Amino acid sequence: MRIFLTGATGFIGSAIVRELQTAGHQVLGLARSDAGAKSLIATGAQVHRGDLEDLDSLRRGAAASDGVIHTAFIHDFSKFKANCETDRHAIEALGSALAGSDRPLIVTSGTGLLAAGRLATEENVPASSSIPRVASEEAAASVAARGVRVSVVRLPPSVHGENDHGFVPMLISIARQKGVSAYVGNGLNRWPAVHRLDAAQLYKLVLEKSSAGGRYHGVAEEGVTMRAIAETIGAGLGVPVRSLTQDEGGAHFDWMAHFVALDNPTSSARTRDELGWRPKELGLLTDMKENGYFS
């Protein structure tokens, strides 16, 4: 198939490009810059110029393809709500080009939307419509109602691997800056995690095997405790590890305090059973220790 991939030059998208090509698919990657276009051409992918706010470009890319995988998102947390609305409009634009065609649309969401403190499954729906990121799943439901064959892949807070620039590197940066690696309370709250290469394989399997309306969890580890993450960071940087109160955590972690306190254990049992997905890459803590997170 010829697949239109948004976020094709990103941390996860670049791994999806290789996964799709290895499986014999052709990739049409969205690129907003000359540098992005050049990097896509180097992989053997085709280039479609545009960005998430250019809805006409998204419609054209989807119309020219046999299916769409949408992984792009604007990661500027100072404008988080606005960026979530941009994602909503992008999904609606992609869906408008696919309605009634049976061509698949795969939308990316997050496990952090689900109710905290208990094991989340694929059947669960977002805990609150007031969370801005829920816009992605609302848009998926909206285009499904218009006849689009849409599936949702929920990713965990940590998608790790080479060139990771997500939450874990941010925690390392804070610990390096402040000279202490911290967690809040007893640190037993949990983050699910997945390696980017395992996540890329999941997107390919969803493309090839999913049923319309399916929700899938890209989760290799159901929950790694924040204390274990903090201890690994402390050992990697050679700094002390400390427990903080909630108030102290707010000051220490700033805008990341909400994510650091998140207790989000998540199952991927149904995803594995339905698609035959078998994560095989390193777990988060081992990846952190062995692959340059502290260099």
Side-chain angles (χ1 to χ4, degrees):
M1 291 189 286
R2 187 178 195 232
I3 304 304
F4 181 42
L5 175 63
T6 73
T9 61
F11 177 61
I12 300 169
S14 58
I16 296 173
V17 170
R18 292 193 292 273
E19 187 73 29
L20 292 177
Q21 289 173 329
T22 299
H25 300 294
Q26 184 182 65
V27 177
L28 177 65
L30 182 69
R32 66 178 185 271
S33 68
D34 291 341
K38 185 176 180 180
S39 69
L40 278 173
I41 291 169
T43 69
Q46 296 180 334
V47 174
H48 181 81
R49 293 302 294 263
D51 59 49
L52 289 186
E53 295 177 301
D54 184 350
L55 301 184
D56 284 340
S57 76
L58 297 180
R59 293 185 192 99
R60 291 194 302 271
S65 303
D66 299 313
V68 177
I69 298 177
H70 175 52
T71 67
F73 188 81
I74 302 171
H75 290 96
D76 177 356
F77 286 94
S78 69
K79 301 177 181 177
F80 185 57
K81 186 173 182 179
N83 293 337
C84 291
E85 289 304 307
T86 295
D87 198 52
R88 181 196 302 275
H89 299 319
I91 293 166
E92 290 172 345
L94 293 165
S96 69
L98 301 175
S101 69
D102 201 42
R103 289 176 290 160
L105 168 61
I106 302 172
V107 169
T108 302
S109 181
T111 64
L113 291 173
L114 305 177
R118 58 182 174 84
L119 189 66
T121 71
E122 293 86 347
E123 288 78 15
N124 296 144
V125 297
S128 171
S129 60
S130 66
I131 303 171
R133 192 68 169 93
V134 79
S136 303
E137 296 205 20
E138 288 177 345
S142 175
V143 299
R146 301 203 302 269
V148 179
R149 184 183 150 201
V150 64
S151 302
V152 172
V153 173
R154 292 173 177 151
L155 295 178
S158 178
V159 181
H160 57 92
E162 184 180 2
N163 298 320
D164 185 356
H165 52 269
F167 286 144
V168 167
M170 292 177 189
L171 292 175
I172 293 170
S173 177
I174 291 170
R176 182 179 280 119
Q177 175 191 349
K178 302 200 172 183
V180 60
S181 180
Y183 56 89
V184 176
N186 61 16
L188 297 183
N189 59 299
R190 296 150 290 182
W191 275 9
V194 69
H195 194 283
R196 65 190 286 261
L197 299 183
D198 286 325
Q201 187 201 39
L202 175 60
Y203 277 95
K204 186 207 72 163
L205 290 172
V206 174
L207 177 73
E208 296 175 342
K209 296 184 175 183
S210 67
S211 56
R215 293 190 292 263
Y216 302 94
H217 285 177
V219 171
E221 295 176 279
E222 289 188 351
V224 182
T225 68
M226 286 304 303
R227 180 169 183 167
I229 293 171
E231 289 172 344
T232 302
I233 292 172
L237 295 179
V239 300
V241 180
R242 271 182 50 204
S243 168
L244 304 177
T245 66
Q246 281 207 327
D247 287 345
E248 290 172 332
H252 184 87
F253 293 110
D254 194 23
W255 64 268
M256 276 197 69
H258 164 76
F259 297 101
V260 172
L262 186 67
D263 188 28
N264 182 221
T266 304
S267 170
S268 59
R270 199 202 74 181
T271 296
R272 298 180 194 223
D273 288 346
E274 181 177 333
L275 302 179
W277 182 53
R278 299 291 180 265
K280 62 182 181 181
E281 303 294 334
L282 294 176
L284 173 59
L285 301 181
T286 303
D287 200 10
M288 291 168 64
K289 293 172 186 175
E290 296 184 1
N291 288 312
Y293 272 76
F294 304 105
S295 60

